[in-house]
Amino acid sequence: MPLVVGRAQVQGQGECPVARQKFALNTEPHVAEIGDNIILEFRPEVMGDEFLEAWEALQETYRTLGVDQASVSNSSAETLKTAGTAVRRFLAGFMLPESAKLYAWWEVRDKAGKVVFDSGDPEEAAAQAKTVKGTTVVDVGLRLPDRVHLELMSWITEVYGQRPTTSSSGSAAPLPPHGTKSTASSRSKASTPARGRSRAS
């Protein structure tokens, strides 16, 4: 009996109906609008394992810092600053390069204020600064209220259809409070995050 693609044959019963369903893939960026003039574009699609690995890395940072998300007021200012940087890096990892550079970016500047290196990784920037005498690392990313960062994290979790779970218990990991959802629109094609780079003298 010949095999016909897309049709099923049952002995003595002829053809049986075969289910057909079309599944869409997002090809345009998700857009978060902040205030009246800030636009952040996120990748159209993210694989589930990539998202969960990034989420677990963020949770590990919280555990290392001893941050209690239910009572952050018990943490020091320096600890909260480090945790905030981790949140920004988590979000930037899913942004298009232009948005990532606007949102979370660090520059290494010499004494004259000239940028000699820049990166989306503060640790990479700090390591580079150690190799060039007289340089300092400057955070040039967006300055936003903490609640906006947390609302962005909640929104992007919903956008990618993820509900992270802890690897140890399998229960849902704590998510930040839900804020108002941003509207999404299409602007440009997806690409990968940019790496740090040195500036030519």
Side-chain angles (χ1 to χ4, degrees), residues 59-72:
Q59 296 303 306
E60 181 59 32
T61 298
Y62 283 159
R63 288 190 289 268
T64 300
L65 293 172
V67 174
D68 181 359
Q69 297 178 76
S71 182
V72 296

Side-chain angles (χ1 to χ4, degrees), residues 100-161:
K101 187 172 183 178
L102 171 68
Y103 181 69
W105 206 254
W106 288 263
E107 293 179 346
V108 178
R109 300 178 182 177
D110 61 18
K111 292 180 179 180
K114 180 181 178 180
V115 178
V116 297
F117 182 83
D118 60 343
S119 174
D121 183 346
E123 295 176 0
E124 183 182 27
Q128 183 67 23
K130 291 180 179 179
T131 67
V132 183
K133 187 176 180 180
T135 58
T136 56
V137 177
V138 180
D139 183 348
V140 294
L142 277 178
R143 303 293 295 176
L144 297 170
D146 287 343
R147 65 171 179 81
V148 175
H149 298 298
L150 295 179
E151 288 173 2
L152 274 173
M153 187 160 64
S154 180
W155 173 71
I156 206 60
T157 298
E158 295 175 356
V159 164
Y160 292 135

